[in-house]
Amino acid sequence: MAHAQPTLGPELIDLMEQRIYAHAVGRYTSVRDYARLSDRQRTLIRNDHADAVQMLTQLLSSGNFARHHNQVRTAYKGQFLSPSPDDPHYDQFAEAGIRSLLEAERHLHDLAAGVASGAESPAIAPSNVVPFPDLPAIDHEKPDNSFRTLADSYLAEHKRAWSGRTYEKYAAHLKFWTTQLGADRDIGSIRKQDIRDIRNALGILPAHWQHRYPDQPLAEACKAAREAATEPMSPGAANAYITSLSSFFGWLVKQDFVSENPTKNLKFRDTVRGADKRSAYSVEQLQAIFNAPLYRGMASAYHWKKPGDLVQKDYRYWVPLIALYTGMRLGEILRLTPDSLRAENGIPYFRIGKAKTSAGIRNMPVHDRLVSLGLLDHVAATPKDERLFGGVSERAFSKFYKRLTGSVGIDDSKLVFHSFRHTFADALRQADIDTGLIKALMGHADQGVTAIYGNGYSLASLHKAVQSIEYELTH
């Protein structure tokens, strides 16, 4: 029978804090004898609790509890209250729960450091924890550690940090694993052999197998693939499923839901070298792309594959050209805003301020060819609060680009939008540009001694390197 949410007041908050405190401390002291830890164990455990104290202190100081709702849920795990961000008293509930966890972690840190004993804190003694009036005592039933529940928590916690495309990839992969391993299965019951069996099935299935065998169980899809003698998906594609699951289990280990990651050493061996997975464009292929009606004149914005008189310099026109002359990633180009374009000593450049690594944050000079084609005018005409190429997503543009290359007879699976980066890098090498400069322009980390002692290359040096690039094009 569901119980009504109790009226929030000082007494309730005080009692709630005691119960959460007791639950948090008891979770560790019931399985760990802090008085008999070795010096190494003591150091490791103390550091873990110190990290938790720091994190919870920052969370408490921020006051932004809704953004960290998973931590609030952790505080109330095992309690009968489940505060929702929509609750008018949510912040008070959340603050009380986080504060209780913080005090528990501080006490556990002191236990590990040997400066406190389990009896020193009256709040944690079970006899001091008074039951809430007119409500049942805490039911210490096993928490919901089902695969689906924890996968949902993992995705929710990372959604803000990931790009939309990354989130969709992980969500799709974890949906697959949820189906195959069992949505309601306890996470602790999953073994390496369970994952290996599914991994072996992935080694049989073709690319886009969900579309070929919709609604078919995995075993039946594998049987159909064998009978049709279809080519299996690439090792890289199969490994993407395993990588997503491995990242999820890595998070579970950090959250103490499991003790080890069962996905280790299960990836397929990929015999294709990284440099061979994507090819650079040849001169003939570049000419085919940039002599397409999109650049020479199309019938209309809709009939862009048919020759005509219209040249419309929108995102379809500019994005491939920018990639060709800068080597920038698709996501980097689509995130550009008018503020991204800057100038120094007469040199226009794009400031790339968001990247996967610190090396990716860089200044990219604008090639003179882009200037002569009118890119700076396009930037100037874009409202300050908008992106240069509207709200087009990476997925949408990738689909368009595949249609563009297909329309000019390019159907090699190794030739994709990312091939522009390889083409740009090859052009720099052909111009005898220093390897360090190439890495700086590409946003790759330089592992050499100069990376340790230097402050990077000047904008003038980067600009000179970019201007050295020449393509045999007449767009």
Short mmCIF file of all heavy atoms in Angstrom, two decimals, residues 290 295 313-337 340-341 349-350 352 362 364-367 369-371 373-376 378-379 388-389 397 401 417 420-421 424 441 466 469 471 473 475:
data_model
loop_
_atom_site.label_atom_id
_atom_site.label_comp_id
_atom_site.label_asym_id
_atom_site.label_seq_id
_atom_site.Cartn_x
_atom_site.Cartn_y
_atom_site.Cartn_z
N PHE A 290 33.42 18.69 -56.41
CA PHE A 290 33.33 20.14 -56.47
C PHE A 290 32.99 20.67 -57.87
O PHE A 290 32.95 21.88 -58.09
CB PHE A 290 34.61 20.78 -55.91
CG PHE A 290 34.76 20.51 -54.44
CD1 PHE A 290 35.67 19.58 -53.98
CD2 PHE A 290 33.94 21.16 -53.52
CE1 PHE A 290 35.80 19.31 -52.62
CE2 PHE A 290 34.06 20.89 -52.16
CZ PHE A 290 34.98 19.97 -51.71
N TYR A 295 27.87 23.05 -56.89
CA TYR A 295 28.91 24.08 -56.97
C TYR A 295 28.93 24.79 -58.32
O TYR A 295 29.34 25.95 -58.40
CB TYR A 295 30.29 23.45 -56.69
CG TYR A 295 30.41 22.98 -55.25
CD1 TYR A 295 30.14 21.67 -54.90
CD2 TYR A 295 30.77 23.86 -54.25
CE1 TYR A 295 30.23 21.24 -53.59
CE2 TYR A 295 30.87 23.46 -52.92
CZ TYR A 295 30.59 22.14 -52.60
OH TYR A 295 30.67 21.74 -51.28
N LYS A 313 24.83 29.35 -51.71
CA LYS A 313 25.92 29.13 -50.77
C LYS A 313 25.40 28.95 -49.35
O LYS A 313 25.56 29.80 -48.49
CB LYS A 313 26.94 30.27 -50.87
CG LYS A 313 27.63 30.33 -52.23
CD LYS A 313 28.74 31.35 -52.28
CE LYS A 313 29.46 31.33 -53.62
NZ LYS A 313 30.58 32.29 -53.69
N ASP A 314 24.78 27.78 -49.14
CA ASP A 314 24.29 27.45 -47.81
C ASP A 314 25.21 26.39 -47.20
O ASP A 314 26.34 26.18 -47.67
CB ASP A 314 22.84 26.95 -47.88
CG ASP A 314 22.67 25.76 -48.83
OD1 ASP A 314 23.70 25.22 -49.28
OD2 ASP A 314 21.53 25.39 -49.11
N TYR A 315 24.73 25.71 -46.16
CA TYR A 315 25.57 24.73 -45.48
C TYR A 315 26.03 23.63 -46.41
O TYR A 315 27.16 23.11 -46.27
CB TYR A 315 24.82 24.14 -44.28
CG TYR A 315 23.70 23.19 -44.62
CD1 TYR A 315 23.94 21.82 -44.71
CD2 TYR A 315 22.40 23.65 -44.85
CE1 TYR A 315 22.92 20.94 -45.03
CE2 TYR A 315 21.38 22.78 -45.16
CZ TYR A 315 21.64 21.42 -45.25
OH TYR A 315 20.63 20.55 -45.57
N ARG A 316 25.24 23.24 -47.38
CA ARG A 316 25.63 22.17 -48.29
C ARG A 316 26.84 22.57 -49.12
O ARG A 316 27.68 21.73 -49.47
CB ARG A 316 24.46 21.80 -49.21
CG ARG A 316 23.24 21.28 -48.47
CD ARG A 316 22.06 21.05 -49.41
NE ARG A 316 21.61 22.30 -50.03
CZ ARG A 316 20.58 22.40 -50.86
NH1 ARG A 316 19.88 21.30 -51.17
NH2 ARG A 316 20.22 23.56 -51.38
N TYR A 317 26.91 23.85 -49.44
CA TYR A 317 28.02 24.39 -50.23
C TYR A 317 29.28 24.53 -49.38
O TYR A 317 30.38 24.11 -49.79
CB TYR A 317 27.60 25.74 -50.81
CG TYR A 317 28.64 26.47 -51.61
CD1 TYR A 317 28.71 26.34 -52.99
CD2 TYR A 317 29.56 27.33 -50.99
CE1 TYR A 317 29.66 27.04 -53.74
CE2 TYR A 317 30.51 28.02 -51.72
CZ TYR A 317 30.57 27.87 -53.10
OH TYR A 317 31.52 28.55 -53.83
N TRP A 318 29.13 25.14 -48.20
CA TRP A 318 30.30 25.53 -47.42
C TRP A 318 30.95 24.39 -46.63
O TRP A 318 32.19 24.33 -46.53
CB TRP A 318 29.94 26.66 -46.46
CG TRP A 318 29.80 28.00 -47.11
CD1 TRP A 318 28.68 28.77 -47.16
CD2 TRP A 318 30.82 28.73 -47.80
NE1 TRP A 318 28.92 29.94 -47.85
CE2 TRP A 318 30.24 29.94 -48.26
CE3 TRP A 318 32.16 28.47 -48.09
CZ2 TRP A 318 30.96 30.89 -48.96
CZ3 TRP A 318 32.88 29.43 -48.80
CH2 TRP A 318 32.28 30.61 -49.23
N VAL A 319 30.18 23.52 -46.04
CA VAL A 319 30.77 22.54 -45.10
C VAL A 319 31.84 21.67 -45.76
O VAL A 319 32.94 21.52 -45.21
CB VAL A 319 29.65 21.70 -44.44
CG1 VAL A 319 30.26 20.57 -43.60
CG2 VAL A 319 28.78 22.59 -43.55
N PRO A 320 31.60 21.08 -46.95
CA PRO A 320 32.67 20.30 -47.57
C PRO A 320 33.91 21.14 -47.91
O PRO A 320 35.05 20.66 -47.76
CB PRO A 320 32.02 19.74 -48.84
CG PRO A 320 30.56 19.71 -48.53
CD PRO A 320 30.34 20.94 -47.71
N LEU A 321 33.69 22.37 -48.35
CA LEU A 321 34.84 23.22 -48.69
C LEU A 321 35.68 23.55 -47.46
O LEU A 321 36.91 23.55 -47.51
CB LEU A 321 34.34 24.52 -49.34
CG LEU A 321 33.95 24.43 -50.82
CD1 LEU A 321 33.27 25.72 -51.26
CD2 LEU A 321 35.20 24.15 -51.68
N ILE A 322 35.02 23.85 -46.35
CA ILE A 322 35.76 24.15 -45.12
C ILE A 322 36.55 22.93 -44.68
O ILE A 322 37.71 23.03 -44.26
CB ILE A 322 34.79 24.62 -44.01
CG1 ILE A 322 34.18 25.97 -44.38
CG2 ILE A 322 35.51 24.71 -42.66
CD1 ILE A 322 33.10 26.44 -43.42
N ALA A 323 35.94 21.76 -44.78
CA ALA A 323 36.65 20.53 -44.40
C ALA A 323 37.86 20.31 -45.29
O ALA A 323 38.94 19.91 -44.82
CB ALA A 323 35.70 19.34 -44.51
N LEU A 324 37.72 20.59 -46.58
CA LEU A 324 38.82 20.39 -47.53
C LEU A 324 40.00 21.29 -47.22
O LEU A 324 41.16 20.87 -47.30
CB LEU A 324 38.32 20.65 -48.95
CG LEU A 324 39.35 20.53 -50.07
CD1 LEU A 324 39.86 19.10 -50.20
CD2 LEU A 324 38.76 21.02 -51.40
N TYR A 325 39.72 22.53 -46.86
CA TYR A 325 40.80 23.52 -46.67
C TYR A 325 41.23 23.72 -45.22
O TYR A 325 42.14 24.50 -44.94
CB TYR A 325 40.38 24.86 -47.27
CG TYR A 325 40.46 24.89 -48.78
CD1 TYR A 325 39.32 24.78 -49.57
CD2 TYR A 325 41.69 25.01 -49.43
CE1 TYR A 325 39.39 24.80 -50.95
CE2 TYR A 325 41.78 25.03 -50.82
CZ TYR A 325 40.62 24.92 -51.57
OH TYR A 325 40.71 24.93 -52.94
N THR A 326 40.60 23.02 -44.29
CA THR A 326 41.00 23.14 -42.87
C THR A 326 41.23 21.79 -42.21
O THR A 326 41.89 21.73 -41.17
CB THR A 326 39.92 23.88 -42.04
OG1 THR A 326 38.74 23.08 -41.98
CG2 THR A 326 39.60 25.24 -42.65
N GLY A 327 40.64 20.72 -42.76
CA GLY A 327 40.76 19.42 -42.10
C GLY A 327 39.94 19.31 -40.83
O GLY A 327 40.10 18.36 -40.06
N MET A 328 39.05 20.27 -40.61
CA MET A 328 38.23 20.24 -39.39
C MET A 328 37.24 19.08 -39.43
O MET A 328 36.79 18.68 -40.49
CB MET A 328 37.49 21.57 -39.22
CG MET A 328 38.39 22.74 -38.86
SD MET A 328 37.56 24.35 -38.99
CE MET A 328 36.28 24.17 -37.76
N ARG A 329 36.91 18.58 -38.26
CA ARG A 329 35.91 17.52 -38.14
C ARG A 329 34.52 18.08 -38.42
O ARG A 329 34.28 19.28 -38.24
CB ARG A 329 35.95 16.90 -36.75
CG ARG A 329 37.28 16.26 -36.38
CD ARG A 329 37.27 15.75 -34.95
NE ARG A 329 38.53 15.10 -34.59
CZ ARG A 329 39.60 15.73 -34.09
NH1 ARG A 329 39.55 17.05 -33.90
NH2 ARG A 329 40.70 15.06 -33.79
N LEU A 330 33.62 17.20 -38.82
CA LEU A 330 32.27 17.65 -39.15
C LEU A 330 31.62 18.35 -37.96
O LEU A 330 31.03 19.42 -38.12
CB LEU A 330 31.42 16.45 -39.58
CG LEU A 330 29.94 16.75 -39.89
CD1 LEU A 330 29.82 17.80 -40.99
CD2 LEU A 330 29.22 15.46 -40.30
N GLY A 331 31.72 17.76 -36.78
CA GLY A 331 31.12 18.39 -35.60
C GLY A 331 31.70 19.75 -35.31
O GLY A 331 30.98 20.67 -34.89
N GLU A 332 33.00 19.91 -35.51
CA GLU A 332 33.64 21.21 -35.27
C GLU A 332 33.11 22.27 -36.23
O GLU A 332 32.89 23.42 -35.84
CB GLU A 332 35.17 21.06 -35.43
CG GLU A 332 35.81 20.21 -34.35
CD GLU A 332 37.28 19.90 -34.61
OE1 GLU A 332 37.71 20.00 -35.79
OE2 GLU A 332 37.99 19.57 -33.67
N ILE A 333 32.90 21.88 -37.47
CA ILE A 333 32.40 22.84 -38.46
C ILE A 333 30.96 23.23 -38.15
O ILE A 333 30.60 24.41 -38.18
CB ILE A 333 32.49 22.23 -39.88
CG1 ILE A 333 33.96 21.95 -40.24
CG2 ILE A 333 31.86 23.18 -40.92
CD1 ILE A 333 34.13 21.19 -41.54
N LEU A 334 30.13 22.24 -37.82
CA LEU A 334 28.71 22.53 -37.59
C LEU A 334 28.48 23.33 -36.31
O LEU A 334 27.43 23.95 -36.16
CB LEU A 334 27.92 21.22 -37.54
CG LEU A 334 27.89 20.43 -38.85
CD1 LEU A 334 27.08 19.15 -38.67
CD2 LEU A 334 27.30 21.27 -39.99
N ARG A 335 29.46 23.32 -35.40
CA ARG A 335 29.32 24.11 -34.17
C ARG A 335 29.81 25.54 -34.31
O ARG A 335 29.69 26.34 -33.37
CB ARG A 335 30.08 23.43 -33.02
CG ARG A 335 29.39 22.20 -32.46
CD ARG A 335 30.02 21.77 -31.14
NE ARG A 335 31.39 21.33 -31.28
CZ ARG A 335 31.75 20.06 -31.52
NH1 ARG A 335 30.83 19.13 -31.64
NH2 ARG A 335 33.03 19.74 -31.63
N LEU A 336 30.36 25.89 -35.45
CA LEU A 336 30.90 27.24 -35.64
C LEU A 336 29.79 28.30 -35.53
O LEU A 336 28.68 28.11 -36.02
CB LEU A 336 31.58 27.36 -36.99
CG LEU A 336 32.89 26.58 -37.19
CD1 LEU A 336 33.35 26.68 -38.64
CD2 LEU A 336 33.98 27.10 -36.25
N THR A 337 30.13 29.41 -34.91
CA THR A 337 29.25 30.57 -34.81
C THR A 337 30.00 31.79 -35.34
O THR A 337 31.21 31.73 -35.57
CB THR A 337 28.84 30.82 -33.34
OG1 THR A 337 30.01 31.23 -32.60
CG2 THR A 337 28.24 29.56 -32.71
N SER A 340 33.10 32.50 -33.60
CA SER A 340 34.24 31.58 -33.80
C SER A 340 35.27 32.18 -34.75
O SER A 340 36.45 31.81 -34.70
CB SER A 340 33.75 30.24 -34.37
OG SER A 340 32.80 29.63 -33.54
N LEU A 341 34.82 33.08 -35.64
CA LEU A 341 35.73 33.72 -36.59
C LEU A 341 36.40 34.93 -35.95
O LEU A 341 35.72 35.85 -35.49
CB LEU A 341 35.00 34.15 -37.85
CG LEU A 341 35.87 34.81 -38.93
CD1 LEU A 341 36.89 33.81 -39.49
CD2 LEU A 341 35.02 35.37 -40.05
N TYR A 349 40.89 33.60 -38.66
CA TYR A 349 41.01 32.21 -38.21
C TYR A 349 39.77 31.82 -37.41
O TYR A 349 39.07 32.67 -36.85
CB TYR A 349 42.27 32.00 -37.37
CG TYR A 349 42.27 32.73 -36.04
CD1 TYR A 349 41.85 32.09 -34.86
CD2 TYR A 349 42.69 34.06 -35.94
CE1 TYR A 349 41.85 32.75 -33.64
CE2 TYR A 349 42.69 34.73 -34.73
CZ TYR A 349 42.27 34.07 -33.57
OH TYR A 349 42.26 34.73 -32.37
N PHE A 350 39.53 30.52 -37.37
CA PHE A 350 38.45 29.99 -36.54
C PHE A 350 39.05 29.53 -35.22
O PHE A 350 40.06 28.83 -35.19
CB PHE A 350 37.77 28.79 -37.22
CG PHE A 350 36.87 29.17 -38.36
CD1 PHE A 350 37.10 28.69 -39.64
CD2 PHE A 350 35.78 30.00 -38.15
CE1 PHE A 350 36.27 29.03 -40.69
CE2 PHE A 350 34.94 30.36 -39.20
CZ PHE A 350 35.20 29.88 -40.47
N ILE A 352 38.60 27.08 -32.40
CA ILE A 352 37.89 25.84 -32.05
C ILE A 352 38.06 25.64 -30.55
O ILE A 352 39.13 25.25 -30.09
CB ILE A 352 38.46 24.65 -32.84
CG1 ILE A 352 38.39 24.94 -34.35
CG2 ILE A 352 37.71 23.37 -32.50
CD1 ILE A 352 39.10 23.93 -35.20
N ARG A 362 42.10 24.69 -30.65
CA ARG A 362 43.16 25.27 -31.47
C ARG A 362 42.64 26.44 -32.31
O ARG A 362 41.44 26.68 -32.36
CB ARG A 362 43.74 24.20 -32.40
CG ARG A 362 42.73 23.62 -33.40
CD ARG A 362 43.22 22.29 -33.95
NE ARG A 362 42.40 21.79 -35.06
CZ ARG A 362 41.24 21.15 -34.91
NH1 ARG A 362 40.74 20.97 -33.71
NH2 ARG A 362 40.57 20.72 -35.97
N MET A 364 42.46 27.77 -36.20
CA MET A 364 42.57 27.27 -37.55
C MET A 364 42.48 28.43 -38.55
O MET A 364 41.41 29.01 -38.74
CB MET A 364 41.44 26.26 -37.82
CG MET A 364 41.37 25.77 -39.27
SD MET A 364 42.94 25.07 -39.86
CE MET A 364 43.08 23.64 -38.80
N PRO A 365 43.59 28.80 -39.16
CA PRO A 365 43.56 29.89 -40.15
C PRO A 365 42.63 29.58 -41.31
O PRO A 365 42.48 28.42 -41.72
CB PRO A 365 45.02 29.97 -40.62
CG PRO A 365 45.81 29.36 -39.51
CD PRO A 365 44.95 28.27 -38.95
N VAL A 366 42.01 30.61 -41.86
CA VAL A 366 41.10 30.45 -42.99
C VAL A 366 41.91 30.56 -44.27
O VAL A 366 42.61 31.55 -44.51
CB VAL A 366 40.00 31.53 -42.96
CG1 VAL A 366 39.09 31.38 -44.17
CG2 VAL A 366 39.20 31.43 -41.67
N HIS A 367 41.82 29.55 -45.11
CA HIS A 367 42.56 29.54 -46.38
C HIS A 367 42.05 30.67 -47.29
O HIS A 367 40.86 30.99 -47.30
CB HIS A 367 42.37 28.18 -47.07
CG HIS A 367 43.34 27.91 -48.17
ND1 HIS A 367 43.23 28.50 -49.41
CD2 HIS A 367 44.44 27.12 -48.22
CE1 HIS A 367 44.21 28.07 -50.19
NE2 HIS A 367 44.96 27.23 -49.48
N ARG A 369 41.49 30.69 -50.31
CA ARG A 369 40.48 30.27 -51.29
C ARG A 369 39.08 30.39 -50.69
O ARG A 369 38.14 30.78 -51.38
CB ARG A 369 40.75 28.81 -51.71
CG ARG A 369 39.83 28.32 -52.81
CD ARG A 369 40.06 29.09 -54.10
NE ARG A 369 39.15 28.68 -55.15
CZ ARG A 369 38.42 29.51 -55.88
NH1 ARG A 369 38.47 30.84 -55.65
NH2 ARG A 369 37.65 29.07 -56.85
N LEU A 370 38.94 30.08 -49.41
CA LEU A 370 37.65 30.22 -48.75
C LEU A 370 37.25 31.69 -48.66
O LEU A 370 36.07 32.04 -48.81
CB LEU A 370 37.70 29.61 -47.35
CG LEU A 370 37.91 28.09 -47.28
CD1 LEU A 370 38.06 27.64 -45.84
CD2 LEU A 370 36.74 27.35 -47.95
N VAL A 371 38.25 32.55 -48.45
CA VAL A 371 37.97 34.00 -48.39
C VAL A 371 37.48 34.49 -49.75
O VAL A 371 36.49 35.23 -49.85
CB VAL A 371 39.23 34.77 -47.96
CG1 VAL A 371 38.97 36.28 -48.00
CG2 VAL A 371 39.65 34.36 -46.55
N LEU A 373 36.01 32.88 -52.04
CA LEU A 373 34.68 32.35 -52.37
C LEU A 373 33.56 33.02 -51.57
O LEU A 373 32.38 32.79 -51.85
CB LEU A 373 34.65 30.83 -52.13
CG LEU A 373 35.47 29.98 -53.10
CD1 LEU A 373 35.55 28.53 -52.60
CD2 LEU A 373 34.85 30.01 -54.49
N GLY A 374 33.94 33.83 -50.58
CA GLY A 374 32.93 34.60 -49.85
C GLY A 374 32.56 34.08 -48.48
O GLY A 374 31.51 34.44 -47.93
N LEU A 375 33.41 33.25 -47.87
CA LEU A 375 33.07 32.70 -46.57
C LEU A 375 32.94 33.80 -45.51
O LEU A 375 32.03 33.75 -44.66
CB LEU A 375 34.13 31.67 -46.12
CG LEU A 375 33.89 31.05 -44.75
CD1 LEU A 375 32.54 30.34 -44.68
CD2 LEU A 375 35.02 30.08 -44.38
N LEU A 376 33.82 34.78 -45.54
CA LEU A 376 33.76 35.83 -44.52
C LEU A 376 32.46 36.63 -44.64
O LEU A 376 31.89 37.08 -43.63
CB LEU A 376 34.96 36.77 -44.63
CG LEU A 376 36.35 36.12 -44.52
CD1 LEU A 376 37.43 37.19 -44.40
CD2 LEU A 376 36.41 35.16 -43.33
N HIS A 378 29.63 35.33 -45.64
CA HIS A 378 28.60 34.44 -45.07
C HIS A 378 28.59 34.57 -43.55
O HIS A 378 27.51 34.62 -42.93
CB HIS A 378 28.88 32.99 -45.47
CG HIS A 378 27.93 32.00 -44.85
ND1 HIS A 378 26.68 31.76 -45.36
CD2 HIS A 378 28.06 31.23 -43.73
CE1 HIS A 378 26.06 30.86 -44.58
NE2 HIS A 378 26.89 30.52 -43.60
N VAL A 379 29.78 34.61 -42.95
CA VAL A 379 29.86 34.74 -41.49
C VAL A 379 29.26 36.06 -41.04
O VAL A 379 28.50 36.13 -40.07
CB VAL A 379 31.33 34.62 -41.02
CG1 VAL A 379 31.42 34.87 -39.52
CG2 VAL A 379 31.89 33.25 -41.36
N LEU A 388 26.72 29.10 -37.84
CA LEU A 388 26.95 29.51 -39.23
C LEU A 388 26.11 28.72 -40.22
O LEU A 388 25.74 29.24 -41.27
CB LEU A 388 28.43 29.35 -39.60
CG LEU A 388 29.44 30.24 -38.87
CD1 LEU A 388 30.83 30.05 -39.46
CD2 LEU A 388 29.02 31.71 -38.95
N PHE A 389 25.81 27.48 -39.87
CA PHE A 389 25.11 26.63 -40.82
C PHE A 389 23.80 26.10 -40.24
O PHE A 389 23.42 24.95 -40.44
CB PHE A 389 26.04 25.50 -41.27
CG PHE A 389 27.36 26.02 -41.77
CD1 PHE A 389 28.52 25.80 -41.05
CD2 PHE A 389 27.42 26.80 -42.91
CE1 PHE A 389 29.74 26.31 -41.48
CE2 PHE A 389 28.63 27.32 -43.36
CZ PHE A 389 29.79 27.09 -42.64
N PHE A 397 23.59 15.84 -41.85
CA PHE A 397 24.54 16.24 -42.89
C PHE A 397 25.23 15.01 -43.48
O PHE A 397 25.48 14.95 -44.69
CB PHE A 397 25.59 17.21 -42.37
CG PHE A 397 26.44 17.77 -43.48
CD1 PHE A 397 26.03 18.89 -44.18
CD2 PHE A 397 27.61 17.12 -43.86
CE1 PHE A 397 26.79 19.37 -45.24
CE2 PHE A 397 28.37 17.59 -44.92
CZ PHE A 397 27.95 18.72 -45.62
N TYR A 401 25.52 14.16 -47.31
CA TYR A 401 26.82 14.03 -47.97
C TYR A 401 26.95 12.69 -48.70
O TYR A 401 27.54 12.62 -49.78
CB TYR A 401 27.96 14.20 -46.96
CG TYR A 401 29.31 14.21 -47.63
CD1 TYR A 401 29.72 15.32 -48.38
CD2 TYR A 401 30.15 13.10 -47.57
CE1 TYR A 401 30.94 15.33 -49.03
CE2 TYR A 401 31.37 13.10 -48.22
CZ TYR A 401 31.75 14.21 -48.96
OH TYR A 401 32.96 14.21 -49.63
N PHE A 417 32.89 11.60 -45.26
CA PHE A 417 33.21 13.00 -44.97
C PHE A 417 34.55 13.13 -44.25
O PHE A 417 35.33 14.05 -44.51
CB PHE A 417 32.09 13.64 -44.15
CG PHE A 417 32.27 15.12 -43.97
CD1 PHE A 417 31.78 16.01 -44.92
CD2 PHE A 417 32.95 15.63 -42.88
CE1 PHE A 417 31.98 17.38 -44.77
CE2 PHE A 417 33.14 16.99 -42.72
CZ PHE A 417 32.64 17.87 -43.67
N PHE A 420 38.05 13.96 -45.77
CA PHE A 420 38.62 15.29 -45.99
C PHE A 420 39.78 15.56 -45.03
O PHE A 420 40.74 16.25 -45.40
CB PHE A 420 37.56 16.37 -45.81
CG PHE A 420 36.63 16.53 -46.99
CD1 PHE A 420 35.27 16.39 -46.83
CD2 PHE A 420 37.12 16.82 -48.25
CE1 PHE A 420 34.40 16.53 -47.91
CE2 PHE A 420 36.27 16.97 -49.34
CZ PHE A 420 34.91 16.82 -49.17
N ARG A 421 39.73 15.02 -43.81
CA ARG A 421 40.84 15.20 -42.87
C ARG A 421 42.09 14.51 -43.39
O ARG A 421 43.20 15.05 -43.29
CB ARG A 421 40.47 14.67 -41.49
CG ARG A 421 39.71 15.67 -40.65
CD ARG A 421 39.32 15.14 -39.30
NE ARG A 421 40.41 14.87 -38.38
CZ ARG A 421 41.07 15.78 -37.69
NH1 ARG A 421 40.78 17.08 -37.83
NH2 ARG A 421 42.02 15.43 -36.84
N PHE A 424 43.41 16.58 -46.33
CA PHE A 424 44.07 17.79 -45.82
C PHE A 424 45.45 17.45 -45.27
O PHE A 424 46.45 18.13 -45.58
CB PHE A 424 43.19 18.41 -44.73
CG PHE A 424 43.77 19.64 -44.08
CD1 PHE A 424 43.81 20.86 -44.74
CD2 PHE A 424 44.26 19.58 -42.78
CE1 PHE A 424 44.33 21.99 -44.13
CE2 PHE A 424 44.77 20.71 -42.16
CZ PHE A 424 44.81 21.92 -42.83
N LEU A 441 47.66 21.69 -36.51
CA LEU A 441 46.52 22.03 -37.35
C LEU A 441 45.42 20.97 -37.28
O LEU A 441 44.24 21.28 -37.34
CB LEU A 441 46.97 22.21 -38.80
CG LEU A 441 47.81 23.45 -39.08
CD1 LEU A 441 48.48 23.35 -40.45
CD2 LEU A 441 46.95 24.71 -39.01
N VAL A 466 48.90 26.53 -43.91
CA VAL A 466 47.60 26.32 -44.56
C VAL A 466 47.61 26.86 -45.99
O VAL A 466 47.08 26.23 -46.92
CB VAL A 466 46.46 26.97 -43.74
CG1 VAL A 466 45.16 27.01 -44.54
CG2 VAL A 466 46.25 26.20 -42.44
N ILE A 469 48.76 24.81 -49.12
CA ILE A 469 47.93 23.76 -49.72
C ILE A 469 47.34 24.22 -51.05
O ILE A 469 46.79 25.33 -51.15
CB ILE A 469 46.79 23.35 -48.76
CG1 ILE A 469 47.36 22.64 -47.54
CG2 ILE A 469 45.76 22.49 -49.45
CD1 ILE A 469 46.32 22.27 -46.52
N TYR A 471 44.96 22.54 -54.36
CA TYR A 471 44.23 21.42 -54.98
C TYR A 471 43.98 21.77 -56.43
O TYR A 471 43.78 22.94 -56.76
CB TYR A 471 42.90 21.16 -54.27
CG TYR A 471 43.03 20.80 -52.81
CD1 TYR A 471 42.64 21.70 -51.83
CD2 TYR A 471 43.51 19.55 -52.41
CE1 TYR A 471 42.72 21.36 -50.48
CE2 TYR A 471 43.60 19.21 -51.07
CZ TYR A 471 43.21 20.12 -50.11
OH TYR A 471 43.30 19.79 -48.78
N LEU A 473 41.60 22.18 -58.47
CA LEU A 473 40.16 22.37 -58.59
C LEU A 473 39.88 23.69 -59.28
O LEU A 473 40.68 24.63 -59.25
CB LEU A 473 39.50 22.38 -57.20
CG LEU A 473 39.73 21.14 -56.32
CD1 LEU A 473 39.11 21.36 -54.97
CD2 LEU A 473 39.14 19.90 -56.98
N HIS A 475 36.54 25.17 -58.77
CA HIS A 475 35.20 25.48 -58.30
C HIS A 475 35.03 27.00 -58.17
O HIS A 475 35.99 27.75 -58.15
CB HIS A 475 34.93 24.81 -56.93
CG HIS A 475 35.98 25.01 -55.91
ND1 HIS A 475 36.89 24.03 -55.63
CD2 HIS A 475 36.31 26.08 -55.14
CE1 HIS A 475 37.73 24.48 -54.68
NE2 HIS A 475 37.39 25.71 -54.39
#
